[in-house]
């Protein structure tokens, strides 16, 4: 956890986070940028277990990032915001770069295309009580996730998602792979995507983010 100010204009940044939930994208981005921030670590789900949280984030979800009093709640948008608002940083792809369209596409793909079906699978296998679990729906969405992850792999560069370097798009995409391995979808993760995640998790920023949330050994628990 970091606190205070630095010379890039970062004022007060607070991240409300549950261990290894979608908000990990924001935490990872903060650590990659080495920005000062305050981390509020909460049990999952915070809307039910943290009194007053919905007054901070009316959605009741994580992440909730407050930057100089402004609220952001979208885990794929926050890394790009941080890299551009508190940059310049090579972690964002600039509009005049050839890879800019692919960067934006992967940035949003990680959440909208890949994490969404995972959350349906997670809900109907682990989050709902036994009488409300729906194995067929869980399996259908597992297959949906797998087919889209394999398609994403065909669109990526050799080492990273795009632009020939690690960017915030890799945080968005890499988290989706990390989540898959944590919730029983490892059969949907190809060897190539497993190797991709391994490259990402060797980064110092990733390791610092894990340590900041109290899981320095690299274990993943999306339920906080």
């Amino acid at each position: 956890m970091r606190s205070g100010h630095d010379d890039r204009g970062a004022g007060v940044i607070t991240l409300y986070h549950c261990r290894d939930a979608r908000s990990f994208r924001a935490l990872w981005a903060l650590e990659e940028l080495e920005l000062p921030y305050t981390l509020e670590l909460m049990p999952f789900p915070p809307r039910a277990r943290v009194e007053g949280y919905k007054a901070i984030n009316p959605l009741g979800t994580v992440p909730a990032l407050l930057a100089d009093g402004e609220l952001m709640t979208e885990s794929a948008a926050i890394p790009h915001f941080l890299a551009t608002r508190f940059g310049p940083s090579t972690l964002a792809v600039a509009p005049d770069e050839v890879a800019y369209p692919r960067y934006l596409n992967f940035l949003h793909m990680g959440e909208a295309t890949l994490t969404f079906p995972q959350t349906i699978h997670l809900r109907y296998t682990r989050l709902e009580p036994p009488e409300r679990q729906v194995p067929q729906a869980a399996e259908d969405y597992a297959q949906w996730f797998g087919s889209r992850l394999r398609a994403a792999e065909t669109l990526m560069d050799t080492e990273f998602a795009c632009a020939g370097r690690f960017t915030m798009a890799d945080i968005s995409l890499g988290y989706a792979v990390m989540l898959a391995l944590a919730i029983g979808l490892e059969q949907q993760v190809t060897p190539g995507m497993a190797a991709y995640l391994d490259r990402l998790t060797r980064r110092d920023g990733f390791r610092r983010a894990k340590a900041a949330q109290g899981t320095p050994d690299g274990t993943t628990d999306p339920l906080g």
Side-chain angles (χ1 to χ4, degrees):
M1 182 186 306
R2 307 171 189 273
S3 61
H5 297 252
D6 70 8
D7 59 6
R8 286 169 290 175
V12 178
I13 298 176
T14 301
L15 174 63
Y16 293 83
H17 169 55
C18 297
R19 286 184 181 89
D20 290 323
R22 284 175 164 108
S23 47
F24 186 78
R25 288 183 173 120
L27 180 59
W28 186 359
L30 286 164
E31 288 293 347
E32 289 284 352
L33 290 163
E34 299 187 74
L35 290 172
Y37 66 93
T38 297
L39 181 63
E40 297 291 343
L41 193 60
M42 305 178 296
F44 183 90
R47 62 183 174 274
R49 300 177 63 186
V50 178
E51 184 176 356
Y53 181 62
K54 291 191 75 172
I56 297 166
N57 175 11
L59 294 173
T61 58
V62 287
L65 181 120
L66 292 170
D68 292 328
E70 292 294 323
L71 173 68
M72 293 190 72
T73 63
E74 291 300 318
S75 68
I78 288 170
H80 178 72
F81 162 75
L82 293 171
T84 52
R85 170 64 178 83
F86 303 117
S89 170
T90 58
L91 294 176
V93 176
D96 60 354
E97 292 186 70
V98 173
Y100 183 62
R102 298 183 67 222
Y103 166 74
L104 289 181
N105 200 55
F106 280 115
L107 188 72
H108 293 283
M109 182 190 298
E111 174 64 13
T113 299
L114 298 178
T115 307
F116 167 70
Q118 290 176 289
T119 59
I120 302 298
H121 174 84
L122 182 61
R123 174 177 180 177
Y124 288 115
T125 56
R126 296 175 61 180
L127 298 181
E128 292 286 353
E131 67 274 11
R132 289 180 54 84
Q133 292 181 5
V134 186
Q136 187 60 60
E139 177 59 24
D140 289 347
Y141 277 92
Q143 296 297 327
W144 180 5
F145 164 74
S147 66
R148 280 151 181 76
L149 184 65
R150 291 188 294 274
E153 185 176 6
T154 68
L155 299 173
M156 295 169 58
D157 286 353
T158 302
E159 189 172 0
F160 298 112
C162 62
R165 66 182 189 268
F166 176 85
T167 69
M168 292 304 186
D170 293 296
I171 286 181
S172 181
L173 195 61
Y175 173 77
V177 182
M178 185 181 94
L179 181 62
L181 296 178
I183 63 173
L185 293 176
E186 60 275 358
Q187 291 185 346
Q188 304 298 335
V189 177
T190 66
M193 292 306 284
Y196 166 67
L197 179 63
D198 182 67
R199 288 193 294 275
L200 302 187
T201 60
R202 293 175 185 270
R203 295 183 61 84
D204 288 342
F206 178 90
R207 292 175 176 177
R208 288 195 302 269
K210 280 287 190 174
Q213 69 170 13
T215 54
D217 60 353
T219 58
T220 299
D221 180 4
L223 303 183

